[in-house]
Amino acid sequence: MAGTMIITGANSSLAIPAVQHFLINYPDYAAVLTVRNTSDADVNTKKLRETLTQYPNAKTSIRKLDLADLSDVHNFASTIAAEIVDGKLAPLTSIICNAYYWNLAGGAEVTGDGYDKTFQVTHLAQAALVLQLLGSFGSNGGRVVLFSSDAHWPGKNGLEKYPPVIPDNLNLLVKPAADEPSDNMGRGFQRYAVAKLTVVMWMYALNRHLKRDSKLSNITAVAVNPGNLSDSRALRTNTPQMLVYMSKFFIQPLRFLLRFMDPTMRTSAEAGVDVIDLAMNKAYPGDCGYFTLLKKDVSAPDSMNEETQQKLWYSSMEWAGITRENTALIVAFG
C-alpha cells in the first residue's frame, strides 16, 4: 500500500463520489471511511457499501466514528495509529474532514461531552482527530483537508440572518446561549457559520505550527469551500420544510441556470473530484491556505486575525482533550 486516506462523513452526498474518484485514480492507496452508523439500516451507508462493491480489489474499510462523542474520537485515533505501527495500515497521506452537523429546524443541541453539537461535530472533534494522527503520516508528509463554506464570510450566504462572529468569551462557542424558539433557522445557521469560520481560523494556526516542526513541516492543511452543491442532502436534513421544497423543486431542476448567478453552484460529484485531488496533493502540491472550488482564494477578513486564531487554537486543544501525550505536534503548546 502506498498510503492511507481517512475521510469522515464518508456516506455523504459529496463523499461517496469522492471515494469513487479515489478508488479509480489512486488504486494503490487504502481508504478508511468513517460513518456514524456502519449498518445497511442507514441508507447512505448502504449506498457507500454498494459503491465499494464495484471495486473488489480496493483496500477500503468502513469504520464507525461518532464525532459527537470525543471519547470515541480518541479511541478511533488510537486504533488507527496502532494499526499503522503494526503495519496493518500504511502511513497516512491525507485526512479529509468532510463531516459536519447543523440543525435549522430545532434549537441548540448539546453532546454528551457538554458541548454545542454543531461546533463539536463540525470543528472540535475533527480537530482532535487530526492532532492525534499527525504522527501517523508517512515520511513524505501529506495533506489535511478541512471544509469551509461561503457561510463563514458575513453577507455571502442567502440563508444568513445573523452574521458569524467569534465571541470575546470563547466558551460561548461550545456552550452558546439558548435560542429564541421562533428563530431556530436563523440561529441554527449562525452556529453552523461560526463553526465554519472557526475551521478556517484553526487551519491557519495549524499551518503555522506545522511549519515550526521539522518532522511535520511537510504536512500542509487547506480549508476548501466546495461550492453550493445542488444535489446535496444538506438542505433536506434538519431543515424547515421550505428548504426541502426549495432543494427539490427549485435548486436541483434549475441548477444550470442558477450557475449563471452563482458560479460556485455545482454537483457533489464535481466537488468530490477536487477534494480528492487536493487531499492527494495532485492539485497544488505542498500548498496550504484557503480554496474556493479548486482555486486559491482569500478567506473572510475576520478569519485573518492571528490573535483570535491562536486563542481558538489553544481553546480547541483544551476542549478536545489534546495534550503533549496524545499529539506529535509538541510545538503547538508554545
Side-chain angles (χ1 to χ4, degrees), residues 190-205:
Q190 184 187 40
R191 281 191 296 275
Y192 167 78
V194 167
K196 290 299 188 181
L197 174 58
T198 302
V199 166
V200 176
M201 299 183 80
W202 188 83
M203 175 271 298
Y204 288 123

Side-chain angles (χ1 to χ4, degrees), residues 85-275:
V85 169
D86 293 341
K88 296 177 182 178
L89 284 173
L92 297 179
T93 56
S94 60
I95 301 175
I96 303 174
C97 298
N98 165 67
Y100 83 99
Y101 182 81
W102 72 4
N103 188 348
L104 310 189
E109 299 170 81
V110 176
T111 67
D113 299 299
Y115 298 143
D116 175 71
K117 188 173 182 179
T118 295
F119 190 82
Q120 177 168 328
V121 172
T122 305
H123 163 63
L124 192 59
Q126 295 182 100
L129 179 68
V130 168
L131 289 172
Q132 286 188 260
L133 288 175
L134 287 174
S136 296
F137 276 78
S139 58
N140 292 326
R143 182 168 270 166
V144 174
V145 178
L146 307 168
F147 275 61
S148 182
S149 163
D150 62 1
H152 92 281
W153 191 310
K156 282 204 172 184
N157 192 290
L159 295 180
E160 178 188 302
K161 183 175 181 181
Y162 307 103
V165 176
I166 302 297
D168 292 333
N169 178 3
L170 294 184
N171 284 321
L172 291 174
L173 294 171
V174 288
K175 298 186 178 181
D179 296 339
E180 291 291 332
S182 61
D183 202 13
N184 289 328
M185 181 171 164
R187 291 303 180 188
F189 189 80
Q190 184 187 40
R191 281 191 296 275
Y192 167 78
V194 167
K196 290 299 188 181
L197 174 58
T198 302
V199 166
V200 176
M201 299 183 80
W202 188 83
M203 175 271 298
Y204 288 123
L206 174 60
N207 278 314
R208 281 199 301 274
H209 292 302
L210 288 170
K211 288 176 182 177
R212 291 174 53 215
D213 190 306
S214 59
K215 294 181 180 179
L216 302 175
S217 59
N218 54 0
I219 302 172
T220 58
V222 299
V224 57
N225 166 17
N228 289 317
L229 309 182
S230 58
D231 56 348
S232 171
R233 299 193 306 270
L235 291 181
R236 306 191 298 276
T237 304
N238 295 334
T239 57
Q241 200 63 35
M242 171 196 69
L243 291 185
V244 176
Y245 289 140
M246 182 186 299
S247 172
K248 186 175 181 180
F249 299 111
F250 180 68
I251 295 177
Q252 292 186 57
L254 298 179
R255 179 178 71 239
F256 295 106
L257 292 176
L258 292 172
R259 276 183 167 177
F260 290 103
M261 294 183 287
D262 179 2
T264 73
M265 180 76 68
R266 59 178 179 167
T267 66
S268 299
E270 291 171 309
V273 169
D274 289 351
V275 167

